[in-house]
Amino acid sequence: AQKVTQAQTEISVVEKEDVTLDCVYETRDTTYYLFWYKQPPSGELVFLIRRNSFDEQNEISGRYSWNFQKSTSSFNFTITASQVVDSAVYFCALSEVNNDYKLSFGAGTTVTVRA
Amino acid sequence: DSGVTQTPKHLITATGQRVTLRCSPRSGDLSVYWYQQSLDQGLQFLIQYYNGEERAKGNILERFSAQQFPDLHSELNLSSLELGDSALYFCASSVGGGTSGNEQFFGPGTRLTVL
């Protein structure tokens, strides 16, 4: 069964629009970690954020913000005032204590920001 | 730049052949992870080494093997290659040994094409 679901396959926005990427996860562990990674067209995977299951505080880093809600098993990611450089594939991932903390990735969401 | 290096960047070979992919982790990181990214399977965890020892295994085929050397660099060996092995292979490293949800930093990947 898929542990991480990113229901949006592709999102296209115009520059300066906000874009929210959904991530829903499934786990029976009480201790787990959630991540977001960015894969730009150049292909490398860039770490964006890590969240542990005991910290539900939302986080903001520049134009990026994350909303973690355990009640709905969601860890959504918002890019505010998007820019062309934000065009990339974004992956949500789950790391569980009872799975040796292996990273289980979602299928990814392709974000295209048009000028 | 994540600090993780991978060589070669591209590899083109024929079915039935054997190749070796190399990875050097970030300075100070003891864990190395290997992932395969393909269009049909997405990002899949293959195997993890921590300080020279195998720590966790994922969906790694028997034709594939890996090791981590005393200087902490790692090699992924792929043998009896098939067309379906064509993919982007990532190496990642982290400080910890997979006993906590440390963030993993990814290398630029090796794109393997099997003809």
Side-chain angles (χ1 to χ4, degrees):
Chain A
Q2 190 73 4
K3 290 176 181 279
V4 179
T5 301
Q6 295 181 253
Q8 305 145 308
T9 307
E10 293 184 36
I11 300 176
S12 182
V13 297
V14 176
E15 232 179 352
K16 296 184 185 174
E17 285 185 352
D18 297 348
V19 55
T20 295
L21 311 181
D22 298 333
C23 172
V24 174
Y25 62 92
E26 184 180 330
T27 181
R28 292 183 179 180
D29 288 3
T30 54
T31 301
Y32 54 89
Y33 294 81
L34 295 162
F35 302 80
W36 277 94
Y37 283 86
K38 172 183 179 180
Q39 187 174 36
S42 51
E44 73 273 24
L45 278 163
V46 179
F47 166 77
L48 295 179
I49 189 171
R50 179 187 77 148
R51 214 30 156 196
N52 76 54
S53 53
F54 301 106
D55 182 2
E56 281 194 77
Q57 278 193 350
N58 292 331
E59 182 155 340
I60 298 175
S61 176
R63 297 183 296 105
Y64 294 171
S65 62
W66 291 269
N67 180 254
F68 176 28
Q69 292 197 337
K70 282 177 81 168
S71 60
T72 55
S73 297
S74 65
F75 186 44
N76 297 337
F77 172 32
T78 297
I79 304 172
T80 303
S82 60
Q83 299 176 0
V84 172
V85 293
D86 295 326
S87 297
V89 183
Y90 291 86
F91 292 94
C92 180
L94 168 70
S95 172
E96 302 163 280
V97 64
N98 286 320
N99 194 24
D100 297 318
Y101 290 103
K102 299 171 200 170
L103 278 178
S104 299
F105 283 90
T109 298
T110 300
V111 173
T112 302
V113 182
R114 309 185 308 276
Chain B
D1 186 344
S2 67
V4 179
T5 61
Q6 287 187 251
T7 56
K9 198 169 175 61
H10 301 278
L11 202 47
I12 301 174
T13 188
T15 54
Q17 294 299 303
R18 172 190 168 95
V19 297
T20 298
L21 312 184
R22 184 189 166 105
C23 167
S24 292
R26 293 187 321 159
S27 176
D29 285 358
L30 298 178
S31 270
V32 169
Y33 309 77
W34 287 97
Y35 291 84
Q36 180 194 59
Q37 185 179 31
S38 61
L39 281 175
D40 52 346
Q41 300 281 347
L43 264 164
Q44 298 270 322
F45 167 75
L46 296 178
I47 197 164
Q48 178 204 356
Y49 278 82
Y50 173 71
N51 206 19
E53 300 287 327
E54 182 184 305
R55 179 58 67 94
K57 229 170 179 177
N59 300 323
I60 188 166
L61 300 171
E62 283 191 16
R63 301 183 285 109
F64 296 1
S65 65
Q67 55 184 322
Q68 186 179 28
F69 295 87
D71 68 352
L72 300 177
H73 91 271
S74 177
E75 293 181 355
L76 178 67
N77 300 297
L78 316 176
S79 61
S80 302
L81 285 167
E82 301 174 0
L83 295 177
D85 297 327
S86 295
L88 189 51
Y89 290 85
F90 285 107
C91 167
S93 74
S94 72
V95 170
T99 56
S100 65
N102 294 122
E103 54 267 38
Q104 296 176 25
F105 293 91
F106 284 75
T110 293
R111 183 165 294 283
L112 173 66
T113 303
V114 182
L115 301 175

